[in-house]
Amino acid sequence: MVSLRFVLCCLLVSSAYATIVSHDGRAITIDGHRRVLLSGSIHYPRSTPEMWPDLIKKGKEGGLDAIETYVFWNAHEPTRRQYDFSGKLDLIRFLKTIKDEGLYGVLRIGPYACAEWNYGGFPVWLHNMPGMVFRTTNEAFMNEMQNFTTMIVDMVKKEKLFASQGGPIILAQIENEYGNIMGSYGESGKAYIKWCANMAQSLDVGVPWIMCQQNDAPQPMLNTCNGFYCDNFEPNNPNTPKMWTENWTGWFKQWGGKNPHRTTEDVAFSVARFFQRGGTFNNYYMYHGGTNFDRTAGGPYITTSYDYDAPLDEYGNLNQPKYGHLKQLHDILHSMEKTLTYGNISTVDFGHSASFIQPKKDQAAFFGNGNETSDAKISFQGQSYVVPSWSVTILPDCKTEAYNTAKITTQTSMMVKKPNEAEDDPSTLKWSWRPENMDNFILKGKGVYTKRQLFDQKIVSNDQSDYQWYMTTVKFKKRDPVLGKSMSLRINSSAHVLHAFVNGKHIGYQHAENGKYNYVFEKDVKFKPGHNVISLLSITVGLQNYGAFFESVPVGVTGPINIIRKNGDATIDKDLSAHKWSYKTGLIGFENQLFMTNSPSKWLVESLPFNQTMTWYKTTFKAPLGNDPVVVDLLGLGKGTAWVNGNNIGRYWPAFISSEDGCSTKCNYRGSYHSEKCQTNCGEPTQRWYHVPRSFLNPEGENTLVLFEEIGGNPSLVNFQTTRVGSVCANVYEKNVIELSCDGKPISAIKFASFGNPNGNCGYFEKGTCESSNNTINILTQECVGKAKCSIEVSAEKFGAPDCSGVVRRLAVEAIC
């Protein structure tokens, strides 16, 4: 009897902590209550465990209910049945950090991720299994996918992290955006997606499963929307709520490209319009983009920075005003939760689209103006409202305007980079160097194995390295008809970057451009009678991560390869494709771990070479003072990889300059966004600064930076800096409250202030045609200088009452931090 009572007590205690997650046609329900849920994507491997608590806390303070992440198969299973969940791959620790902050989790197991991640998250060994075809009814693929998915679910269950066990995870995802490419797989694609649904459901996680971009998602899967706008999305089942799994807050960056930006006003417009039209779950992709450390960037050509113009920048700083303006929207939406999830939606067309939600007791109104050029004047219940073009006004009580997506009252933070104050001369580091040892490859053509065939690099390297040698020896007789004065080596290449050597001499390199990853490399070469060694170094810059059958896109030296002799109008061609080719994956310096601080290898200090290919550089530095995020400026270098204290901070390529055109000083938020709409950084290196997480540094003593330079550069310009808020600005209409904050540091001065109709943008404000008689700068100096934060009501009582001829008065201010 005692034993029975004990068991019963345990069952009661266990069930008391379980959360029941379900749904109906209006919303996700948690313990029977419909919820407005705002979520943000933070990918655990794109930051460090030391950063996670702060990022997640800022997400909560920004009004999020949940944190979403993919699970990255190739990071966790780099070799078949050998797993890695250490360091920044500690998924369980990340999920527990979410739980500790009191937020929900959305776990997108996939296991296909896309995410601009190397190979879309698939391990390359999977591709190299016999008979393998990804993402279709291929038995080998389905077995491996089920094995990994089951392992992740079992790990999470063991730690009781699903909501049904009392954990934070309220939703799980299987597959990812398959509907975008399913047509290419025919009937097998339809059968595959049904198998995915059945497999996921059999895992019994106790929370709903979602499938994004899958209009035919089998029940009980919930189909969801991804994109810049999802207000017109309709679920495929009346019992499925309207959910948005990826609201793209910006866009990714590629080598050779510019910096993409999506305006704060437009992101807010997209969210408000989504909820206006019945949506109840919105996830920002990304909320914090982070960094593609090591070789994790996909593409090809995705940069090391994955900032994504997200509400939290790459380093974890608040990206203002995006962070603050969305936080205000979240607060409004949460305050309307019952109205939004239980009210009946009725839409009245005023010529600009306005919808009203009217439940039994409460009521609210959204005024939406989708016009790109004209403001809308709306008369409603005896009051008049002006709704700016391309904006949504929210009236939670159907009377008072509480929020408009185009009216930003949050400060704009201008970030600056500061020199490393821990160094006496931060711009001058002392370097040592050594060449990459390539003699066995470029002089002897000696690899690990040989084949009379040119192989795809994925097959040969198993993606264990970016670098793959292809080597062959060609023998010419003295009177060989191919030998002559005018000879060239022609290579049909799918290498992202290709270096070519003949008889130990570097004859040139070439990289893919403008999204064309198949090109012809051809250089004039002098061959000699006898043996000639041809050595080709193929370099990948992130494997393709998207598209139907993307696993089969070739990479490397796929041929044909020819030696060409031109003799007048005649051409003699020698095809080397079926020659005996020798293969070697990786470089000696990587194998000898020259990037580790305790590497015993000898380094040279004399005659430091500049602009020399295949060269290693090493220096030491002191960790910058304080807690501000650290970056290393690699301007002057070409292309390669960087390590700090043995930690790979990613690929660098500052020599890749973006084109001069396509940027504008002003960005109009009105009108549909696309990735090329608001770009900056024309004519500059695609990425100049590289994130060095504080946890990679020794706060006391020496730190080591190691560079492997592939194409030649000048390391003398390299230096470490910190990034912080340099100044803050606001441009706020009367009858609002302005809040200025320097992210914990004191406000040191007021650079500009004007109450009236000031012109310009942050950093470039000018006084307008009307201005208050009171000294606005003095008022703000007294209120703000010396404080970490100040809050001021924008009113005529405070600043005086200038006559602006009917124009609504504004306060523009710029403060120095």
Side-chain angles (χ1 to χ4, degrees):
M1 191 68 177
V2 173
S3 164
L4 179 60
R5 285 175 180 165
F6 176 74
V7 171
L8 190 60
C9 177
C10 286
L11 288 172
L12 288 172
V13 169
S14 176
S15 64
Y17 288 95
T19 300
I20 300 172
V21 183
S22 188
H23 63 90
D24 57 25
R26 287 300 296 275
I28 295 294
T29 62
I30 297 178
D31 290 334
H33 300 288
R34 290 176 179 170
R35 295 294 306 275
V36 161
L37 292 170
L38 294 153
S39 174
S41 296
I42 299 176
H43 295 160
Y44 53 100
R46 284 174 159 148
S47 53
T48 64
E50 293 78 10
M51 294 173 66
W52 295 343
D54 182 62
L55 295 174
I56 293 167
K57 181 181 179 183
K58 286 174 178 173
K60 183 177 182 179
E61 291 172 347
L64 297 187
D65 304 289
I67 301 297
E68 176 269 0
T69 187
Y70 282 119
V71 178
F72 299 90
W73 187 356
N74 56 4
H76 293 302
E77 194 177 358
T79 303
R80 189 169 185 260
R81 302 300 182 265
Q82 295 180 24
Y83 302 103
D84 185 359
F85 289 89
S86 63
K88 53 184 181 295
L89 298 179
D90 192 342
L91 171 63
I92 297 301
R93 178 175 172 181
F94 181 74
L95 295 173
K96 287 181 175 179
T97 308
I98 294 172
K99 181 180 180 181
D100 291 344
E101 198 55 57
L103 294 178
Y104 297 122
V106 178
L107 189 63
R108 303 174 75 182
I109 301 174
Y112 167 66
C114 184
E116 293 72 57
W117 187 269
N118 189 46
Y119 216 37
F122 286 133
V124 171
W125 58 258
L126 187 69
H127 167 264
N128 293 338
M129 293 180 69
M132 176 61 67
V133 183
F134 289 2
R135 305 176 80 192
T136 187
T137 50
N138 176 280
E139 186 175 354
F141 176 77
M142 293 190 296
N143 287 342
E144 293 299 326
M145 174 178 169
Q146 184 167 7
N147 179 79
F148 181 76
T149 304
T150 303
M151 184 194 69
I152 294 297
V153 167
D154 288 346
M155 283 179 60
V156 175
K157 279 185 175 180
K158 182 181 178 182
E159 299 296 329
K160 294 182 168 41
L161 291 172
F162 285 109
S164 55
Q165 304 170 291
I169 300 169
I170 57 171
L171 295 168
Q173 180 178 303
I174 195 70
E175 247 300 335
N176 185 47
E177 294 185 330
Y178 190 69
N180 293 351
I181 49 93
M182 187 171 74
S184 300
Y185 297 86
E187 291 300 314
S188 294
K190 296 177 182 178
Y192 166 68
I193 212 66
K194 289 178 181 177
W195 173 84
C196 288
N198 291 332
M199 186 268 286
Q201 201 62 21
S202 72
L203 296 174
D204 192 27
V205 298
V207 300
W209 285 91
I210 58 177
M211 279 185 170
C212 64
Q213 295 294 92
Q214 195 68 45
N215 291 335
D216 63 347
Q219 294 299 303
M221 303 291 109
L222 306 181
N223 73 306
T224 65
C225 181
N226 292 354
F228 290 119
Y229 307 95
C230 281
D231 48 291
N232 290 324
F233 166 73
E234 293 296 335
N236 67 357
N237 186 281
N239 195 41
T240 297
K242 187 169 179 172
M243 301 173 64
W244 193 356
T245 35
E246 290 189 14
N247 180 346
W248 301 330
T249 56
W251 202 239
F252 56 84
K253 189 163 61 169
Q254 293 182 280
W255 297 114
K258 307 166 186 70
N259 292 349
H261 300 280
R262 187 181 181 194
T263 64
T264 298
E265 295 95 331
D266 188 61
V267 178
F269 173 75
S270 72
V271 177
R273 205 161 175 86
F274 179 70
F275 281 89
Q276 175 187 3
R277 296 183 174 180
T280 52
F281 176 96
N282 170 78
N283 177 74
Y284 296 104
Y285 187 100
M286 300 292 297
Y287 199 77
H288 170 257
T291 306
N292 290 315
F293 298 110
D294 209 321
R295 302 173 54 246
T296 58
Y301 277 25
I302 299 298
T303 57
T304 298
S305 172
Y306 198 66
D307 182 87
Y308 220 88
D309 199 25
L312 299 178
D313 73 12
E314 178 181 0
Y315 319 116
N317 298 311
L318 305 186
N319 179 12
Q320 297 282 33
K322 189 171 285 186
Y323 174 90
H325 194 50
L326 293 176
K327 169 181 165 56
Q328 292 173 350
L329 176 57
H330 301 160
D331 291 344
I332 295 291
L333 294 172
H334 281 134
S335 74
M336 301 165 61
E337 185 170 66
K338 263 194 174 177
T339 307
L340 293 169
T341 58
Y342 288 91
N344 298 316
I345 301 174
S346 61
T347 301
V348 177
D349 188 356
F350 286 99
H352 298 277
S353 173
S355 71
F356 309 96
I357 304 173
Q358 295 178 312
K360 293 178 180 178
K361 294 182 181 180
D362 303 320
Q363 60 179 357
F366 290 74
F367 297 147
N369 181 4
N371 192 294
E372 298 180 23
T373 56
S374 302
D375 295 349
K377 292 182 179 179
I378 295 177
S379 295
F380 176 66
Q381 294 186 354
Q383 296 192 53
S384 181
Y385 301 88
V386 177
V387 184
S389 55
W390 202 259
S391 78
V392 176
T393 292
I394 304 176
L395 288 66
D397 59 359
C398 259
K399 295 178 183 179
T400 308
E401 177 181 323
Y403 185 89
N404 178 272
T405 59
K407 297 177 182 177
I408 297 177
T409 60
T410 302
Q411 72 177 35
T412 295
S413 296
M414 304 292 286
M415 308 304 293
V416 295
K417 293 180 174 66
K418 299 286 187 179
N420 182 4
E421 295 178 354
E423 297 281 1
D424 295 332
D425 187 358
S427 62
T428 305
L429 298 170
K430 294 180 180 179
W431 293 91
S432 56
W433 70 282
R434 56 174 294 147
E436 169 66 18
N437 182 359
M438 301 183 292
D439 288 356
N440 273 341
F441 314 127
I442 64 175
L443 295 177
K444 302 176 183 178
K446 184 178 179 182
V448 175
Y449 64 93
T450 58
K451 291 283 184 180
R452 290 189 176 273
Q453 184 179 348
L454 289 168
F455 284 106
D456 186 309
Q457 184 168 335
K458 296 191 299 297
I459 295 173
V460 183
S461 72
N462 227 15
D463 197 39
Q464 296 302 302
S465 171
D466 282 353
Y467 305 96
Q468 179 64 49
W469 288 101
Y470 295 74
M471 298 163 286
T472 193
T473 299
V474 182
K475 186 177 181 180
F476 290 110
K477 296 178 181 178
K478 285 186 178 180
R479 296 183 180 180
D480 195 302
V482 179
L483 276 178
K485 293 182 178 179
S486 180
M487 298 180 69
S488 66
L489 178 65
R490 179 184 297 166
I491 303 164
N492 287 271
S493 174
S494 296
H496 300 154
V497 181
L498 178 68
H499 288 263
F501 302 81
V502 174
N503 296 326
K505 182 182 178 182
H506 186 250
I507 64 168
Y509 82 94
Q510 189 170 333
H511 63 79
E513 292 187 83
N514 302 319
K516 298 175 183 177
Y517 298 103
N518 299 293
Y519 56 91
V520 175
F521 171 98
E522 185 166 5
K523 294 287 183 181
D524 293 338
V525 181
K526 268 192 172 183
F527 289 98
K528 62 184 181 181
H531 291 88
N532 295 263
V533 177
I534 298 174
S535 305
L536 308 176
L537 180 62
S538 170
I539 305 174
T540 54
V541 190
L543 298 179
Q544 181 137 345
N545 55 255
Y546 182 76
F549 304 105
F550 74 84
E551 72 273 19
S552 300
V553 174
V555 65
V557 182
T558 48
I561 300 175
N562 304 83
I563 294 175
I564 310 292
R565 181 195 173 189
K566 293 181 180 179
N567 187 6
D569 294 332
T571 298
I572 303 173
D573 183 320
K574 184 178 182 66
D575 191 341
L576 305 180
S577 304
H579 255 234
K580 184 184 289 185
W581 286 91
S582 183
Y583 294 91
K584 171 68 171 67
T585 299
L587 297 175
I588 298 298
F590 284 75
E591 293 176 4
N592 292 340
Q593 297 188 327
L594 296 182
F595 47 82
M596 298 301 291
T597 55
N598 57 356
S599 170
S601 300
K602 184 179 179 181
W603 293 76
L604 307 172
V605 294
E606 302 295 332
S607 304
L608 183 72
F610 295 157
N611 303 315
Q612 178 173 295
T613 61
M614 306 298 166
T615 303
W616 292 83
Y617 296 100
K618 183 167 73 170
T619 189
T620 58
F621 65 97
K622 295 176 183 177
L625 304 176
N627 297 313
D628 291 329
V630 178
V631 296
V632 58
D633 182 357
L634 297 185
L635 188 66
L637 293 178
K639 178 188 178 299
T641 304
W643 295 260
V644 171
N645 294 332
N647 298 285
N648 190 325
I649 64 170
R651 302 182 183 104
Y652 66 80
W653 202 346
F656 210 150
I657 307 298
S658 66
S659 62
E660 294 282 352
D661 58 341
C663 295
S664 58
T665 54
K666 291 184 178 180
C667 177
N668 186 356
Y669 70 85
R670 301 167 183 87
S672 295
Y673 178 75
H674 55 84
S675 60
E676 296 179 359
K677 181 177 180 181
C678 296
Q679 298 184 123
T680 60
N681 207 46
C682 285
E684 299 291 337
T686 303
Q687 185 175 348
R688 172 178 171 178
W689 290 278
Y690 298 79
H691 184 204
V692 182
R694 283 278 177 181
S695 59
F696 288 3
L697 298 173
N698 300 317
E700 306 290 339
E702 284 190 344
N703 295 270
T704 302
L705 169 67
V706 175
L707 306 170
F708 175 62
E709 175 57 53
E710 298 170 12
I711 64 176
N714 180 0
S716 66
L717 301 177
V718 171
N719 66 96
F720 287 84
Q721 301 168 3
T722 56
T723 178
R724 54 170 290 184
V725 179
S727 61
V728 294
C729 304
N731 193 352
V732 178
Y733 286 101
E734 191 175 1
K735 298 181 181 178
N736 283 288
V737 174
I738 185 172
E739 186 175 282
L740 301 177
S741 170
C742 281
D743 197 19
K745 295 178 174 61
I747 297 170
S748 62
I750 302 299
K751 180 179 178 181
F752 177 92
S754 177
F755 181 60
N757 63 346
N759 300 314
N761 299 310
C762 188
Y764 303 95
F765 285 133
E766 294 178 347
K767 293 181 180 181
T769 56
C770 69
E771 186 178 23
S772 65
S773 57
N774 295 351
N775 192 319
T776 311
I777 287 182
N778 285 349
I779 294 171
L780 287 163
T781 298
Q782 292 176 6
E783 294 276 358
C784 299
V785 171
K787 300 176 182 177
K789 181 187 294 185
C790 63
S791 183
I792 308 103
E793 184 177 350
V794 182
S795 66
E797 290 77 15
K798 184 81 173 177
F799 295 102
D803 181 7
C804 294
S805 302
V807 176
V808 180
R809 293 175 294 223
R810 290 177 288 110
L811 171 66
V813 57
E814 180 177 359
I816 306 300
C817 296

